Amino acid sequence: LTNFTNEHVTTMYYLTASNQGCISTDSVEVTVYATPTAQFSIPDGECFKSNSFDLSALGFFGPTASFDWDFGADGFPSGSTDVQPTGVIFNAHGNQAVTLTVTENGCVSTPYTAAIEVYPMPDANFISEDLEGCQPYAAKFRNISIGHGSFLYESWDFGDSETASQHDPTHTYMEDGIFTVNLKVTSAEGCKDSIRFDNYVQVHPKPDAFFAA
């Protein structure tokens, strides 16, 4: 017997037997359960550093169904039996395969697999060979941040209330002092990293030349 619907199908079968004029009738009720289906909505991707996903089983199943989630080798936890597992974390970036299987009344669904995207974190970094000079001093900065395949948006803070968004900026310090430089980078997916070098640039005061006659 087969059931291609999403409903339980119950059929009554009758058997009548006769022998030498004697007749006997019996009946049996047969229920063919619907096979559950497994599915879940794919959440939006998240950045690796703060990734935490909430999932919810969809498809066709009844109140007595059981659930078998497989979050793969990089998932924590590695699996769940909840209908709505929460706080699932992946320990690697990339497309993470998640599989759900639903069982009910001894009937097992076809496993449903979909990929959840975990975005890589950018690595902010920069260097400069121009770290010391006299005012006004033009310092050149070279951005060596790594985007792991993603375009990066840069935000510089030069420590003198001046900022920039260029990739490799040149900044002129008009005042003397010792300055901390900070670089923040943001990937196209919104993942952020920053790096700060304290007391990075030193600008000496411009000498005053004079003589007395």
Side-chain angles (χ1 to χ4, degrees):
L1 300 176
T2 57
N3 180 1
F4 299 106
T5 72
N6 286 336
E7 302 291 338
H8 302 328
V9 176
T10 299
T11 304
M12 185 71 72
Y13 291 90
Y14 298 92
L15 175 64
T16 300
S18 62
N19 184 18
Q20 296 180 353
C22 300
I23 300 175
S24 177
T25 301
D26 198 3
S27 64
V28 61
E29 184 179 271
V30 177
T31 298
V32 180
Y33 296 112
T35 300
T37 60
Q39 194 174 2
F40 58 89
S41 58
I42 302 172
D44 294 335
E46 296 185 13
C47 299
F48 171 73
K49 188 175 181 179
S50 58
N51 83 89
S52 179
F53 295 92
D54 297 336
L55 301 169
S56 180
L58 303 175
F60 171 78
F61 49 81
T64 62
S66 61
F67 306 90
D68 181 14
W69 295 86
D70 183 354
F71 302 127
D74 294 320
F76 180 82
S78 60
S80 175
T81 57
D82 294 337
V83 62
Q84 294 179 323
T86 59
V88 179
I89 298 171
F90 294 97
N91 296 317
H93 62 79
N95 289 323
Q96 303 294 333
V98 175
T99 300
L100 171 63
T101 305
V102 179
T103 301
E104 189 172 27
N105 299 313
C107 303
V108 182
S109 72
T110 300
Y112 177 78
T113 300
I116 294 177
E117 191 167 7
V118 180
Y119 303 129
M121 300 299 299
D123 296 315
N125 200 6
F126 66 91
I127 59 176
S128 175
E129 298 177 358
D130 306 311
L131 299 179
E132 186 174 0
C134 296
Q135 71 175 120
Y137 179 63
K140 298 179 180 180
F141 300 95
R142 186 158 68 92
N143 189 341
I144 56 173
S145 302
I146 300 174
H148 299 286
S150 176
F151 179 81
L152 294 181
Y153 301 90
E154 294 93 0
S155 176
W156 296 85
D157 185 335
F158 300 113
D160 61 350
S161 301
E162 297 293 330
T163 60
S165 58
Q166 293 95 337
H167 184 74
D168 295 317
T170 297
H171 176 65
T172 300
Y173 290 91
M174 302 305 296
E175 303 294 332
D176 64 278
I178 299 176
F179 302 94
T180 293
V181 181
N182 185 77
L183 170 63
K184 297 179 181 179
V185 297
T186 304
S187 70
E189 295 79 21
C191 306
K192 300 179 180 182
D193 191 32
S194 64
I195 190 169
R196 184 181 73 182
F197 291 135
D198 294 327
N199 305 323
Y200 192 60
V201 177
Q202 183 173 6
V203 180
H204 302 291
K206 184 178 180 180
D208 294 323
F210 70 94
F211 65 92

